[in-house]
């Protein structure tokens, strides 16, 4: 019957493929490194000294930003920077106040002088006032996400800390040179990063897959497509009941289990075909569109287990829905809404680790999340069968419970 | 049980969930082997419920059914092998062709491919469907659907055949073919249990009838004898109206 229903088949197979394609393209921006999506930044350097130059060069060299210092060929005023960011022409505006470097320098000199004084060593420099502070104005377009805002502030903080240290060391060298009346040469403060960060993803040592929109969306929408089979499966059960075919089947020799398992086998094949098509999209088609290629991992037994257990969980849910509801409309409404809710909770749209803590807890109750976790384990961590067993077990338990409910309700309705 | 009795029903009762009044209320009757038994009654009398219980689709709330010497409640699977069912609804898959439907249901009855193909071919020809066997059932006329519906119930040559209004809503030609076939099938030894609103058809076909109303049998016996017992009724339809009244039913 499924083969005859061309429109139904198109929905079952093509729609998930289109969904994964569209959503992956849309979400790719969010998963890409910021480097690939440069942020427009308007910089007003009123300092024109070390701090301003250091920040300007740092921002330009970071490759995260397109740094602009002129508006219509002129250096903008503070007010113009405010207006340009407020208008959305720039996502970020930075105003470095005049004499900022001088203030930093004064602070450094004052602190060093105090150190020498506490050691009873006279310095050739007078104590200067260090009560001023430097206030860098950082303006954000309201659409900028707070997480991104924090990372910008952190980057600027790093720049200012570096320049403060550099100025302090420069001043220290200057004072020493004055005290010993000898020039100090060969001092380079630009390469002071002794501690280097080496970011990498924790996984099998031979396995270093960077999470991206493809690695998330292909398994996520595969899970969604499998669970969306609830609608045709429930519809098939209700149609069979309404049209009388079930009546005929029930009067034939053979157990009810045979009727149930027949449907599960057919739809299981559909699920497997869906999965293979989605994988094919991820491996072959998405790279053509400039997206990363889906990396499958090397544990095919684990993959088969998670596909089968996810498919069975979805089909058990479909059977229960079909048996429980009286009309196709009821089943379709309930099926689609409940699957969408489970998908949202399970991290299909937004990965669970982006969710608030409470929702992350709630997500652990969604069967789509169990399946998705299993796929993550295989695709991103190259986990074997033992690693995905807890998720597979939960899915199979869900199948056992839902199909058990379907069976009991089916028998109960005939009593 | 007498040797010639194919079906014995004792005190059969069925309550639907949430209903205080039984759909069938202590029905007891027997059907002789090879007879053509008519279960007649107005809408909502309990005919379809009775058939649904006798063929294993519904469970009886209480009562006993013996078919061909087999206790139905204990050996339902055995009984299901010897019965055929032609439901009131067209119990076929509309998007499949007639041939595919018949193959599917034939296989469900455990018929082997060669035997099944021969039977399908025979019945399709007998019912004038051989040229349309590859067409989807949903494209068929009402009469054609009824004929395929009938074939699906007799492919496995059942000893007992249940027919729930097999000729409802079809043209005279299709009805004639079906009625003639049922007569032939009965002559060949099949016990037929049949429900209908066509009293003329029932009078023509049935060797025994049970008129049922409000879940109880109100008349039972050979149609001619029943008519003879009621001189004011000269036809089965008159007898039916005499027993069930002229009030409209839901």
């Amino acid at each position: 019957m499924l083969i005859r229903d061309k429109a139904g088949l198109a929905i079952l197979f093509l729609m998930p493929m289109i969904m994964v394609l569209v959503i992956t393209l849309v979400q790719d921006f969010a998963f890409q490194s910021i480097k690939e999506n440069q942020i427009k930044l308007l910089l007003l350097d009123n300092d024109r000294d070390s701090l301003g130059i250091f920040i300007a060069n740092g921002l330009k060299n970071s490759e995260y930003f397109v740094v602009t210092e002129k508006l219509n060929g002129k250096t903008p005023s503070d007010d113009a920077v405010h207006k340009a960011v407020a208008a959305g022409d720039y996502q970020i505006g930075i105003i470095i106040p005049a004499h900022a470097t001088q203030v930093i320098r004064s602070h450094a000199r004052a602190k060093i002088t105090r150190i020498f004084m506490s050691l009873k060593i006279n310095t050739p420099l007078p104590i200067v006032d260090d009560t001023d502070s430097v206030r860098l104005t950082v303006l954000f377009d309201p659409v900028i996400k707070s997480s991104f805002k924090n990372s910008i502030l952190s980057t600027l903080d790093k720049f200012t800390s570096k320049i403060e240290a550099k100025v302090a060391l420069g001043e220290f060298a200057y004072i020493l040179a004055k005290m010993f009346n000898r020039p100090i040469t060969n001092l380079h403060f630009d390469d002071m990063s002794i501690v280097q960060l080496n970011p990498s993803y924790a996984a099998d040592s031979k396995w270093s897959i960077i999470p991206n929109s493809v690695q998330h969306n292909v398994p996520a929408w595969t899970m969604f497509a499998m669970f969306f089979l609830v609608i045709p499966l429930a519809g098939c059960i209700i149609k069979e009941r309404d049209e009388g075919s079930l009546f005929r089947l029930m009067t034939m020799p053979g157990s009810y289990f045979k009727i149930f398992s027949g449907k599960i086998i057919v739809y299981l094949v559909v699920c497997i075909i869906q999965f293979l098509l989605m994988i094919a999209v991820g491996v072959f088609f998405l790279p053509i569109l400039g997206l990363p290629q889906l990396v499958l991992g090397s544990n095919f037994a684990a993959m088969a287990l998670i596909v089968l257990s996810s498919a069975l969980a979805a089909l058990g849910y479909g059977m229960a829905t079909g048996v429980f509801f009286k009309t196709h409309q009821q089943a379709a409404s309930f099926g689609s809404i409940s699957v969408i809710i489970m998908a949202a909770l399970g991290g299909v749209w937004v990965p669970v680790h982006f969710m608030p803590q409470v929702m992350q807890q709630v997500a652990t109750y969604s069967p789509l999340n169990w399946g998705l976790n299993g796929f993550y384990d295989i695709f991103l961590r190259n986990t074997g069968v033992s690693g995905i067993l807890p998720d597979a077990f939960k899915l199979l338990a869900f199948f056992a419970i839902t199909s058990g409910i379907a069976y009991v309700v089916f028998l109960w309705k005939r009593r | 049980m007498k040797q010639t009795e194919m079906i014995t029903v004792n005190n059969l009762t069925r309550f639907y969930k949430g209903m205080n009044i039984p759909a069938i209320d202590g029905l007891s009757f027997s059907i002789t082997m090879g007879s053509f038994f008519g279960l007649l009654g107005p809408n909502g009398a309990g005919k379809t419920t009775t058939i649904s219980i006798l063929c294993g689709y519904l469970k009886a709330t209480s009562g006993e059914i013996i078919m061909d010497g087999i206790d139905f409640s204990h050996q339902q699977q055995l009984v299901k092998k010897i019965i055929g069912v032609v439901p009131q609804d067209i119990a076929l898959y509309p998007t499949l062709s007639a041939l595919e439907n018949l193959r599917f249901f034939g296989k469900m009855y455990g018929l082997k491919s060669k035997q099944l193909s021969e039977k399908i071919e025979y019945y399709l020809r007998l019912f004038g469907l051989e040229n349309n066997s590859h067409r989807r059932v949903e494209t068929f006329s009402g009469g054609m659907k009824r004929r395929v519906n009938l074939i699906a119930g007799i492919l496995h040559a059942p000893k007992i055949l249940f027919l729930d209004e097999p000729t409802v809503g079809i043209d005279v030609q299709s009805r004639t073919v079906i009625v003639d076939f049922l007569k032939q099938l009965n002559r060949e030894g099949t016990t037929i249990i049949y429900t209908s609103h066509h009293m003329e058809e029932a009078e023509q076909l049935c060797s025994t009838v049970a008129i049922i109303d409000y879940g109880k049998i109100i008349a039972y016996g050979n149609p001619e004898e029943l008519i003879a017992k009621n001189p004011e009724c000269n036809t089965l339809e008159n007898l039916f109206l005499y027993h069930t009244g002229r009030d409209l039913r839901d």
Side-chain angles (χ1 to χ4, degrees):
Chain A
M1 278 199 298
L2 266 177
I3 295 166
R4 293 292 162 84
D5 185 5
K6 300 274 189 302
L9 275 182
I11 290 168
L12 289 182
F13 297 127
L14 287 178
M15 287 302 285
M17 292 162 73
I18 294 167
M19 288 285 269
V20 78
L21 191 68
V22 172
I23 305 289
T24 307
L25 281 166
V26 170
Q27 286 189 352
D28 191 51
F29 180 88
F31 278 88
Q32 274 177 19
S33 66
I34 300 163
K35 205 186 287 184
E36 291 167 62
N37 303 297
Q38 287 183 312
I39 303 293
K40 286 169 79 180
L41 186 148
L42 183 58
L43 176 68
L44 174 55
D45 178 13
N46 291 322
D47 180 43
R48 308 256 166 224
D49 200 342
S50 303
L51 178 68
I53 294 164
F54 190 78
I55 288 178
N57 288 342
L59 291 172
K60 284 173 191 167
N61 293 336
S62 75
E63 297 178 343
Y64 298 158
F65 308 100
V66 178
V67 180
T68 304
E69 293 185 79
K70 303 245 183 235
L71 281 178
N72 302 321
K74 291 182 195 166
T75 303
S77 63
D78 287 16
D79 195 40
V81 175
H82 271 90
K83 281 181 181 165
V85 177
D89 298 337
Y90 295 87
Q91 278 94 55
I92 298 168
I94 296 174
I95 302 170
I96 304 168
H99 315 300
T101 307
Q102 194 52 51
V103 173
I104 294 169
R105 202 171 281 137
S106 299
H107 272 255
R109 192 172 292 178
K111 282 189 174 66
I112 293 162
T113 307
R114 283 198 193 96
I115 292 168
F116 280 109
M117 283 174 70
S118 67
L119 296 170
K120 312 284 186 208
I121 301 168
N122 286 327
T123 63
L125 298 169
I127 291 197
V128 293
D129 177 39
D130 63 350
T131 53
D132 284 350
S133 61
V134 176
R135 291 196 177 275
L136 236 75
T137 305
V138 186
L139 304 163
F140 288 102
D141 183 341
V143 301
I144 289 270
K145 284 192 292 185
S146 61
S147 58
F148 185 65
K149 197 168 104 181
N150 291 337
S151 83
I152 299 288
L153 289 173
S154 161
T155 306
L156 286 172
D157 191 43
K158 188 179 152 196
F159 287 158
T160 53
S161 299
K162 262 192 172 181
I163 197 72
E164 280 173 10
K166 189 179 166 187
V167 167
L169 281 169
E171 285 304 301
F172 189 64
Y174 174 78
I175 291 167
L176 288 177
K178 279 269 185 193
M179 283 171 67
F180 294 101
N181 202 19
R182 195 187 297 171
I184 298 174
T185 53
N186 300 326
L187 274 176
H188 301 288
F189 301 125
D190 294 331
D191 52 355
M192 280 180 41
S193 299
I194 296 159
V195 179
Q196 300 283 334
L197 298 178
N198 182 23
S200 63
Y201 292 95
D204 184 326
S205 56
K206 296 172 202 160
W207 202 254
S208 57
I209 299 302
I210 298 167
N212 57 45
S213 58
V214 174
Q215 295 297 127
H216 165 72
N217 277 303
V218 172
W221 291 99
T222 302
M223 287 302 301
F224 185 78
M226 281 182 185
F227 270 82
F228 229 72
L229 281 179
V230 164
I231 297 166
L233 175 55
C236 166
I237 291 168
I238 291 167
K239 208 172 165 188
E240 205 168 54
R241 194 171 61 212
D242 288 349
E243 286 172 352
S245 315
L246 180 69
F247 181 94
R248 193 188 286 286
L249 289 171
M250 294 296 296
T251 60
M252 290 179 162
S255 64
Y256 312 128
F257 179 76
K258 194 174 167 186
I259 298 171
F260 269 57
S261 53
K263 288 192 198 319
I264 287 175
I265 289 167
V266 169
Y267 278 88
L268 194 60
V269 171
V270 172
C271 281
I272 292 167
I273 295 171
Q274 265 184 342
F275 170 75
L276 293 174
L277 287 173
M278 297 290 266
I279 293 296
V281 168
V283 172
F284 303 112
F285 192 64
L286 294 181
I288 296 170
L289 301 175
L291 292 163
Q293 187 179 44
L294 176 71
V295 180
L296 293 174
S298 57
N299 290 301
F300 293 104
M303 208 183 302
L305 178 61
I306 206 74
V307 170
L308 285 177
S309 49
S310 301
L312 286 173
L315 300 181
Y317 189 57
M319 299 285 283
T321 306
V323 168
F324 191 79
F325 287 98
K326 281 184 180 168
T327 66
H328 189 259
Q329 284 84 350
Q330 286 174 350
S333 303
F334 173 82
S336 54
I337 292 168
S338 62
V339 169
I340 286 169
I341 290 170
M342 285 196 291
L345 293 177
V348 168
W349 277 286
V350 178
V352 171
H353 52 270
F354 289 150
M355 293 181 185
Q357 198 60 39
V358 177
M359 296 312 290
Q360 289 192 22
Q361 285 296 316
V362 175
T364 58
Y365 295 99
S366 167
L368 278 90
N369 181 252
W370 306 333
L372 194 51
N373 278 343
F375 281 118
Y376 277 165
D377 284 342
I378 297 163
F379 291 172
L380 299 176
R381 301 181 188 98
N382 203 27
T383 308
V385 171
S386 58
I388 55 123
L389 270 182
D391 287 319
F393 177 77
K394 280 191 242 176
L395 288 162
L396 291 172
F398 184 78
F399 165 66
I401 291 166
T402 48
S403 54
I405 289 170
Y407 194 70
V408 169
V409 172
F410 179 73
L411 293 179
W412 180 78
K413 283 195 168 181
R414 292 180 50 250
R415 292 203 169 271
Chain B
M1 192 178 76
K2 289 176 196 167
Q3 197 61 46
T4 54
E5 281 177 1
M6 184 57 107
I7 301 173
T8 305
V9 174
N10 286 321
N11 209 20
L12 198 67
T13 301
R14 161 80 194 194
F15 282 92
Y16 282 105
K17 277 186 275 291
M19 304 292 283
N20 294 325
I21 302 164
I24 52 169
D25 187 7
L27 289 189
S28 295
F29 57 88
S30 58
I31 299 170
T32 319
M33 187 183 284
S35 67
F36 205 125
F37 182 84
L39 195 58
L40 311 175
N43 287 338
K47 304 184 297 292
T48 300
T49 301
T50 307
I51 292 267
S52 298
I53 293 170
L54 290 178
C55 62
Y57 181 71
L58 286 178
K59 298 235 183 284
T61 308
S62 62
E64 182 195 40
I65 304 164
I66 308 287
M67 283 198 208
D68 199 22
I70 307 164
D71 185 342
F72 190 73
S73 58
H74 292 110
Q75 288 176 295
Q76 211 176 90
Q77 291 302 320
L78 266 182
V79 171
K80 282 182 174 180
K81 283 182 183 170
I82 60 160
I83 65 169
V85 182
V86 181
Q88 187 176 347
D89 295 320
I90 304 296
L92 300 166
Y93 293 104
T95 53
L96 299 186
S97 69
L99 196 60
E100 287 164 335
N101 266 290
L102 295 174
R103 273 192 195 141
F104 172 72
F105 288 118
K107 281 185 181 167
M108 290 296 285
Y109 275 117
L111 296 175
K112 301 280 176 245
S113 290
K114 194 180 172 218
Q115 185 196 13
L116 179 61
S117 297
E118 285 169 2
K119 287 204 168 201
I120 290 172
E121 198 184 338
Y122 168 75
Y123 283 122
L124 285 174
R125 206 177 314 116
L126 185 73
F127 285 101
L129 293 164
E130 70 272 29
N131 295 327
N132 295 298
S133 61
H134 292 282
R135 269 174 59 195
R136 290 184 187 200
V137 166
E138 64 189 356
T139 66
F140 280 13
S141 69
M144 290 164 84
K145 285 178 187 170
R146 284 265 163 228
R147 281 178 267 161
V148 182
N149 201 34
L150 172 62
I151 298 171
I154 54 169
L155 280 171
H156 60 301
K159 280 186 176 178
I160 305 166
L161 179 62
F162 293 97
L163 300 130
D164 195 1
E165 302 191 34
T167 56
V168 70
I170 55 172
D171 61 18
V172 177
Q173 284 79 4
S174 286
R175 182 190 287 189
T176 307
V177 169
I178 290 173
V179 165
D180 288 348
F181 174 73
L182 292 178
K183 280 182 190 169
Q184 185 200 326
L185 203 63
N186 183 239
R187 275 197 300 273
E188 288 167 2
T190 306
T191 304
I192 295 176
I193 296 92
Y194 154 97
T195 77
S196 181
H197 288 295
H198 293 285
M199 293 301 130
E200 224 176 291
E201 188 181 283
E203 192 174 346
Q204 180 197 345
L205 286 171
C206 299
S207 52
T208 312
V209 294
I211 298 175
I212 173 174
D213 202 9
Y214 298 110
K216 289 177 187 279
I217 291 178
I218 49 176
Y220 176 83
N222 178 273
E224 287 171 9
E225 288 171 11
L226 286 172
I227 292 165
K229 277 183 199 168
N230 295 276
E232 63 272 37
C233 307
N234 56 355
T235 62
L236 188 59
E237 187 164 322
N238 286 342
L239 184 78
F240 181 84
L241 287 171
Y242 172 77
H243 282 292
T244 59
R246 289 179 179 272
D247 292 345
L248 294 174
R249 304 299 178 91
D250 294 333

